[in-house]
Amino acid sequence: MIMCKTSKEIGGMGHSLKRKEDARFIRGLGKYTDDVQLPGMLYMDIARSPFAYAKIKSIDKSVAMEIPGVLAVITGEDLKQYNLHWMPTLMSDTQMVLPTDTVMYQAQEVAAVIATDRYIAADAVQALENSIEYDSMRPIIDPHKALDADAPLLRPDKDGKTDNHIWHWQTGDEEATEKAFSEAEVVVKEQVYIPRIHVASIETCGCVASYEKAEGKLTVWMTTQAPHAIRTVIALVAGHVGLSEERIRVISPDIGGGFGGKVPVYPGYVIAIAASFLIGKPVKWIEDRSENLQADSFARDYHMTVELASTKEGKMTGLRIKTLADHGYTDAAANPSKFPSGLFSIVTGSYDIPTAFTEMDAVYTNKPPGGVAYRCSFRVTEAVHAIERITDVLAQKLGRDPADLRFQNFIQKDQFPYRSALGWEYDSGDYAPALRKAMDMVGYEELRKEQVEKRARGELMGIGISSFTEIVGAGPSKDFDILGIKMFDSAEVRIHPTGKAIARFGTKSQGQGHETTYAQILAEELGIPAMHIQIEEGDTDTAPYGLGTYASRSTPTAGAAAAKAAHKIRDKARKIAAYLLEVSEEDLEWEPGKFFVKGAPERSKTIQDIAFAAYTNHPQGMEAGLEATHYYDPPNLTFPFGSYICVMDIDPKTAEMKIRRFVAIDDCGNIINPMIVTGQIHGGLAMGIAPAMYEELIYDDDGNILNGTFMDYLLPTSVETPNWETGHTITPSPHHPLGAKGVAESPTVGAPPAVANAVVDALSHLGVTHVDIPVTPFKVWQILKEKGVIS
């Protein structure tokens, strides 16, 4: 049950305040990068490769330069003169900005056109693309073939490189796990593939770069989830030409969705900045939809061998997973450097498995770079899918109800803080009540009876369960960094003399509702009405340094920083209140919005009284003003969790699938704004069924993407989205100042295995144990035909 400590007028934690930012969004007044218009601004468009792997024979700039309005054509050779033709990735790999001799994937950037008009630039790019001559080569698309001894070396630019293997990573006790499997009474094993998918945010990537020669300062408006980190990367790439960090300002205005895809630096950003720096005029670059879908960083592309050992009674005794990860042309993931596979080692999930071992190998292929931490906290979606699928496979093998098997193996409430076999210390959890609540809401026992009756009539119905554990909130800085920058986050809070406030953060909202939830956190801690607290993010010249918003980290890090900064302000406010009331600080008590004298509550000073005094009547010798900054380094991650149940009906004649019901019970600790949490869960669930039933980037053997537009790359709309039935349990984080955990990506993590398990459950009596996602009608139709259900 959600308990509110503040009044509705103050609007602290637990109140369903309407989102403050929606006032401009619903009026169409959001300010996005493409809304930026500057005097004398030029436009950039990019020529791209039609081949997945080819030598560039020639680029005839003249065909583009002859078009009126075209001012420049930029190639890799041009950038090479300034040593700007390569850039680092966030995983400390390297990536071409523009190639000088070889293209490595279809739709790779080959050259850029600068023109006075967007459409002139587009026409010139078309002419330029037709003029570029290539010698195409046989690409490597299959990651398994990338490791063949006779496979061509894709990255000869890397000194000493002799094969296409990027890195090997492993964790867990290999010997103990082998022993557990050799002694196990039951072992199940599945090959699980999670395909390549794309973030497909509504707003594509883009920027406006404006270099003022007179001031020697670069300002970049761009679609980035991490403006401070991007500023540092720009300084690292271009510092040698005079763009040192204090001369760079990155502004991230409103963003139309990020989902991890707007964390990396893309070549278009670097080219636009270089063009503005050399020409001395603002340059705008905005991707079109197909460019975004075909060339920007992807997610997933994991080939996993998943094994689970147990007793014949169903007690899990060991987990073993081997993964081949296709990272495309370069490793451009946004993972912390200590974790090249992200946080995949959360793969033991919600279960008390005594021993586990997992290993992963990443390889280069001729596909776009990746992969980003898309719709999850650094590869957690892949991990949750593996453990939740193999748990159902074990239940099927043992003839057990999948819910009963989960109850048997859950980590118990009194085991927290719990250290997993792969080294994570879970902060808190109480898994059984969440699953029981989901089962009660959906009417689980009745559904099982209905399923038996339907099978007797030849009808297909499946019930899929997913009881997942997320891991969010990176830092702590001792373990997490990006390009060596420690992962923490920040808040700067300033109270004005009239008792109103402004707060700036190192994160950047892409639709999460930070302007409301951060204000509610400060309202909770200071008693200032949330509507009187202005929130700002995304400007590196004004906001304190932070690592940005992704992987559900904003509330666990920046939200905690806000609470800590508020505590500092309250400490000073107590001194001022004691001065005004002529009592000692120890004689005062706090309740949201005011200090009062113990035993004499009529003697009090509100936070507004104190704020005014901080500028007009503070104690002699005290620094004036009422403000504080805090950089929060979390002691641990937070571990939200949940249980989802999907009920699926399948037409045995056509294989058409329909989600009849979907119940989602989430536990994200203490809830700041129930309405925003519910909204995020609704959106996340839609994104969860997307990879489960629709999304997959498909390539042919020549590396051509076969579904590079939204005509073929399927995303669910409101038509495909079922009615979500949501609920929650509350298990606060013991180490977070607010007891909150973060929630945004939990549903994207938990939904795919619930859907897949429902489909397999519907087909399990036919001997089906696994179907790879996306579970499409065609795949199911093939199974039904193979099993003789469809003649």
Side-chain angles (χ1 to χ4, degrees), residues 360-506:
M360 187 178 298
D361 292 276
V363 297
Y364 294 122
T365 62
N366 291 110
K367 295 178 187 171
V372 298
Y374 168 49
R375 300 177 189 167
C376 72
S377 176
F378 308 121
R379 302 295 190 181
V380 179
T381 297
E382 293 89 327
V384 167
H385 197 77
I387 184 63
E388 289 303 301
R389 270 281 46 248
I390 202 67
T391 297
D392 261 34
V393 174
L394 177 61
Q396 189 174 345
K397 175 81 171 181
L398 295 171
R400 294 279 303 278
D401 184 286
D404 289 343
L405 187 67
R406 284 174 168 83
F407 282 122
Q408 179 183 352
N409 286 282
F410 277 151
I411 302 164
Q412 299 301 302
K413 183 178 181 180
D414 59 5
Q415 290 180 273
F416 291 92
Y418 172 84
R419 182 164 290 279
S420 75
L422 295 178
W424 296 111
E425 184 176 291
Y426 294 21
D427 59 350
S428 63
D430 194 3
Y431 301 138
L435 178 54
R436 173 49 61 190
K437 188 169 185 176
M439 294 171 69
D440 291 344
M441 280 181 65
V442 81
Y444 185 79
E445 282 73 20
E446 291 75 13
L447 286 169
R448 284 294 178 198
K449 293 176 184 174
E450 179 187 346
Q451 184 183 44
V452 172
E453 295 168 359
K454 286 199 166 188
R455 279 183 179 169
R457 299 195 298 266
E459 300 175 18
L460 300 175
M461 167 192 167
I463 307 164
I465 298 173
S466 169
S467 291
F468 61 91
T469 292
E470 250 271 55
I471 174 171
V472 305
S477 65
K478 62 183 174 61
D479 293 322
F480 292 85
D481 71 285
I482 286 183
L483 277 177
I485 305 169
K486 299 290 189 181
M487 295 190 76
F488 51 84
D489 231 291
S490 58
E492 174 191 280
V493 184
R494 182 178 305 159
I495 315 298
H496 302 311
T498 56
K500 312 299 189 290
I502 182 172
R504 297 187 171 102
F505 292 82

Side-chain angles (χ1 to χ4, degrees), residues 111-273:
V113 170
I114 309 296
T116 55
D117 178 270
R118 174 177 292 178
Y119 300 101
I120 292 174
D123 288 345
V125 160
Q126 187 172 16
L128 188 65
E129 286 179 338
N130 291 334
S131 76
I132 301 173
E133 295 184 348
Y134 300 91
D135 271 340
S136 64
M137 298 181 285
R138 190 70 178 167
I140 301 176
I141 304 303
D142 184 338
H144 298 90
K145 293 181 179 177
L147 296 175
D148 288 347
D150 60 350
L153 180 63
L154 296 182
R155 296 297 304 271
D157 55 287
K158 301 180 79 68
D159 290 341
K161 196 70 183 162
T162 59
D163 58 28
N164 298 315
H165 186 257
I166 306 176
W167 44 255
H168 174 83
W169 166 87
Q170 66 180 52
T171 189
D173 190 330
E174 184 176 15
E175 185 177 341
T177 304
E178 173 59 33
K179 186 172 185 291
F181 273 84
S182 65
E183 296 175 352
E185 295 171 316
V186 180
V187 172
V188 291
K189 179 178 181 179
E190 286 289 349
Q191 302 296 325
V192 178
Y193 174 56
I194 301 184
R196 173 174 289 233
I197 57 176
H198 195 274
V199 299
S201 51
I202 293 174
E203 181 196 31
T204 61
C205 291
C207 70
V208 177
S210 179
Y211 180 69
E212 292 286 347
K213 285 191 175 180
E215 299 178 358
K217 181 156 186 176
L218 172 72
T219 302
V220 187
W221 291 261
M222 64 191 306
T223 53
T224 177
Q225 298 172 236
H228 289 278
I230 293 296
R231 184 186 67 181
T232 301
V233 171
I234 294 172
L236 292 172
V237 172
H240 64 284
V241 297
L243 286 176
S244 52
E245 195 160 8
E246 85 283 5
R247 295 179 180 274
I248 302 168
R249 180 183 187 184
V250 174
I251 300 173
S252 184
D254 288 327
I255 296 179
F259 315 117
K262 290 173 180 170
V263 177
V265 176
Y266 292 109
Y269 296 150
V270 179
I271 304 167
I273 291 169

Side-chain angles (χ1 to χ4, degrees), residues 313 509 639 707:
E313 290 80 21
S509 175
F639 295 75
N707 53 348

Side-chain angles (χ1 to χ4, degrees), residues 630-683:
H630 192 87
Y631 287 78
Y632 183 72
D633 185 0
N636 190 9
L637 296 136
T638 62
F639 295 75
F641 60 91
S643 274
Y644 295 170
I645 298 179
C646 174
V647 183
M648 179 79 73
D649 292 313
I650 301 176
D651 188 322
K653 297 179 180 177
T654 66
E656 180 186 9
M657 295 177 289
K658 183 178 181 180
I659 296 177
R660 188 201 312 175
R661 295 186 63 187
F662 198 107
V663 170
I665 303 300
D666 278 276
D667 193 318
C668 58
N670 289 334
I671 295 173
I672 298 166
N673 184 316
M675 182 176 67
I676 288 178
V677 167
T678 301
Q680 291 194 359
I681 290 170
H682 279 217

Side-chain angles (χ1 to χ4, degrees), residues 80-101:
K80 188 177 181 180
Q81 299 174 43
Y82 303 94
N83 194 29
L84 292 174
H85 57 311
W86 286 87
M87 63 180 187
T89 72
L90 294 180
M91 279 304 292
S92 299
D93 202 343
T94 51
Q95 179 177 358
M96 298 177 201
V97 177
L98 288 173
T100 55
D101 54 23

